[in-house]
Amino acid sequence: MGCLGALLFLLGSLGALAQRCEMPEVDSKIVEMLGQRLLPWMDQLSLEQLNPSIYVGLRLSSLQAETKEALYLHSLKLHYQQSLLGSASSGGDNDDSQAKPSMGQLALYLLALKANCEFVGGHKGDRLVSQLKRFLEDEKRAIGHDHKGHPHTSYYQYGLAILALCVHQKRVHESVVGKLLHAVEHDRPVHQGHLSVDTAAMAGLAFTCLKRSNLNPDQRERIILAIGTVQEKILRSQTPEGHFGSVYSTPLALQLLMTSSMPGVELRSVCYKARTALLTSLQNEAFQNALMISQLLPALNHKSYVDLISPDCLAPRAILEPAFETPSDTQAPEVIRVMLMVSSVLPPYHNSIPVPAGSSLEDVLKKAQELGGFTYGTQASLSGPYLTSVMGKEVGEREFWQLLQVPDTPLLQGIADYRPKDGETIELRLVSW
Ligand code: B12
């Protein structure tokens, strides 16, 4: 073999080794149906209901919602800027009725701006960037010099914030990036790594952005290694069906895998398998939640949040038409019984709750409250209503009310989306995380 032949052979085998995560197109009807489920959410324009993730997901998808989309971004700007920057006339501290967006929500808002090809800038933009940097500094302090502490929010939001600043080409201090690197480096799989697949994927997306933008050149080697660590973690988490972790962490995991090639890994078949698993889940109507759909649509369009470094705002996207309403069954649904159990309180609560078939777990909780002897409270979040108190017991620091199917299977969905079956027993359990 001549010199050129050898070179071609080498390049050929390198190409075969370094495969990309490319997924064959998913039927456009399926994608359209997912997009249509976002439309009703886009009519809700109060701060509590606004969800910047929906806007980002749509912009990175193959779909567009025309004027609705523009109006949605307008409302996001109005409400987020007002609540974050506050106006002197709002009376300062006597206007606490609406909670300020969290670090992660501010980060998603900045991603939404970039998804519309807008750089944050000007006086207001700079203040938002400073706020996000301050949030990160506070979190860095909470984690501490010895890395023994925890962020007040989560490493997921920590990664999201670094990613958002990065796509706007805003540099964050090495010590801030260092905390996320440390978390990934010390997430030992042998000890059942504590970072979830979603959190690892989000960290990986942030690192990939830093690598591509070369914003922290002195940490480049560590960043590249950490991307590899995250990729491995995600690959190891693939279930026999093909999901990474669970069905709902697969969208972000795919976003990450799509940003990279991995020498020596059959990425093509790994991603093909994930796609098959996703298609089955889509047929089973697993994707009803708007936040989940917003994380899935980019992956189905071969895009990731890292593409927000230089988004293609002129890419043609199909116009989304509202779905036809299918007339609902007029027959009264049968009544089912769901057992509701709370053992984290004294005396423990245990009751059989009658609800119409097809009710959500939230309907069950409402009915139980109506029947007496049970109370609960929720907080709005981008994923829907988050259960924060049960029988008057509010969650403490790093605690949450876990939803389980007895004896011990955590639910994969929240109270608004999960629909228990007749005779099922659901436990609400106060746990630390
Ligand atoms: C961190 C996290 C948690 C933390 C939240 C505490 C904290 N201080 O951060 C803990 C461990 C407590 C948690 C709990 C649960 N989680 Co969680 N969580 C996440 C994660 C990794 C990031 C959320 C986030 O910060 N988003 C960014 C910020 C900007 O958005 P936000 O709306 O302001 O964030 C808040 C809400 O997301 C809320 N929250 C967290 N999880 C869930 C789940 C649901 C259903 C709801 C309504 C709210 C909610 O806590 C966040 C902080 O306040 C996501 C991953 C993802 N892909 O989104 C999963 C995720 C949202 N969680 C999920 C689930 C299933 C749950 C639980 C229902 C699990 C269970 N069986 O009990 C519980 C919630 C139960 C309840 N009380 O209502 C699923 C939801 C899937 C779906 N179909 O919608 C996700 C997508 C993980 C996954 N891949 O399966 N979670």
Side-chain angles (χ1 to χ4, degrees), residues 35 83 96 102 121 199 230 238 252 267 271 333 363 373 378 395 400 413 420:
S83 63
D96 272 328
S102 62
T199 304
V230 164
Q238 193 165 33
L252 279 185
L267 256 196
C271 292
D363 295 329
T378 62
V395 287
F400 78 108
Q413 292 173 301

Side-chain angles (χ1 to χ4, degrees), residues 352-368:
S352 164
I353 313 293
V355 285
S359 296
S360 66
L361 178 53
E362 191 178 18
D363 295 329
V364 174
L365 302 185
K366 268 189 204 145
K367 185 73 190 179

Side-chain angles (χ1 to χ4, degrees), residues 104-105 157 198 248-249 295 382 385 387 401 403 411-412 414 433:
Q105 288 166 355
Q157 292 199 30
D198 305 76
Y248 299 115
S249 24
Q295 296 183 350
L382 304 185
L387 186 64
W401 279 102
L403 320 177
L411 302 186
L412 297 181
W433 61 284

Side-chain angles (χ1 to χ4, degrees), residues 102-105 108 152-154 156-157 160 196 198-199 246 248-250 252 286 289 291-292 295 379 381-388 399-404 410-415 417 433:
S102 62
M103 173 170 82
Q105 288 166 355
L108 283 170
H152 298 297
T153 58
S154 59
Y156 180 92
Q157 292 199 30
L160 191 57
S196 69
D198 305 76
T199 304
S246 80
Y248 299 115
S249 24
T250 303
L252 279 185
N289 184 283
L291 181 99
M292 282 331 310
Q295 296 183 350
Q379 211 173 60
S381 82
L382 304 185
S383 290
Y386 180 66
L387 186 64
T388 50
E399 275 183 350
F400 78 108
W401 279 102
Q402 191 181 33
L403 320 177
L404 302 117
L411 302 186
L412 297 181
Q413 292 173 301
I415 55 168
D417 297 329
W433 61 284

Side-chain angles (χ1 to χ4, degrees), residues 37-56:
R37 288 189 192 146
L38 292 183
L39 289 177
W41 296 97
M42 296 183 75
D43 291 326
Q44 315 204 328
L45 301 177
S46 68
L47 177 63
E48 249 211 355
Q49 301 279 351
L50 280 169
N51 188 337
S53 181
I54 292 185
Y55 185 82
V56 175

